[in-house]
Amino acid sequence: MVDCIFCKVAAGLIPSQKVAETEELFAFEDINPQAPTHVLIVPKKHMSSSLDITAHEAELMGKIIMMANDIAIDRGLEKSGFRILTNTGSHAGQSVFHLHFHLLGGRRMEWPPG
């Protein structure tokens, strides 16, 4: 999508602190971190939100979780814990309408969030 900031980040048109990359996924440091580890994992294919996920993306969703797990382990979060989340819609806090998952860790998380 031409005007999508995360499409531009994943394509390398906007600089970011890349954490990981595959043919289908791009992970980078959040510019407004809410935890010591706050990485965004985005599919390179544009999808506006989780509502755009179909059965065709089931394998891709698994790859997102696997990438998040790998990053969490690389950062030593497997014992203390971490959170993987996505927001769908403005009332849920989605501000960039390109499907993305937050990997948060390195501090105690509160519940319920927000």
Side-chain angles (χ1 to χ4, degrees), residues 8-81:
K8 291 177 182 178
V9 169
L13 301 173
I14 294 176
S16 67
Q17 287 185 271
K18 181 170 76 168
V19 173
E21 183 174 16
T22 67
E23 186 175 308
E24 299 169 294
L25 302 173
F26 190 79
F28 58 100
E29 300 286 348
D30 193 294
I31 61 170
N32 184 26
Q34 301 300 305
T37 291
H38 190 167
V39 174
L40 300 178
I41 302 167
V42 302
K44 290 181 179 179
K45 171 186 173 184
H46 183 84
M47 291 183 269
S48 295
S49 75
S50 64
L51 294 172
D52 289 342
I53 298 169
T54 68
H56 292 82
E57 284 87 26
E59 185 177 343
L60 180 64
M61 295 303 107
K63 290 176 181 180
I64 289 169
I65 297 301
M66 291 172 57
M67 179 179 276
N69 287 343
D70 289 344
I71 294 166
I73 291 166
D74 286 347
R75 296 191 176 195
L77 300 173
E78 70 275 15
K79 290 187 176 127
S80 61

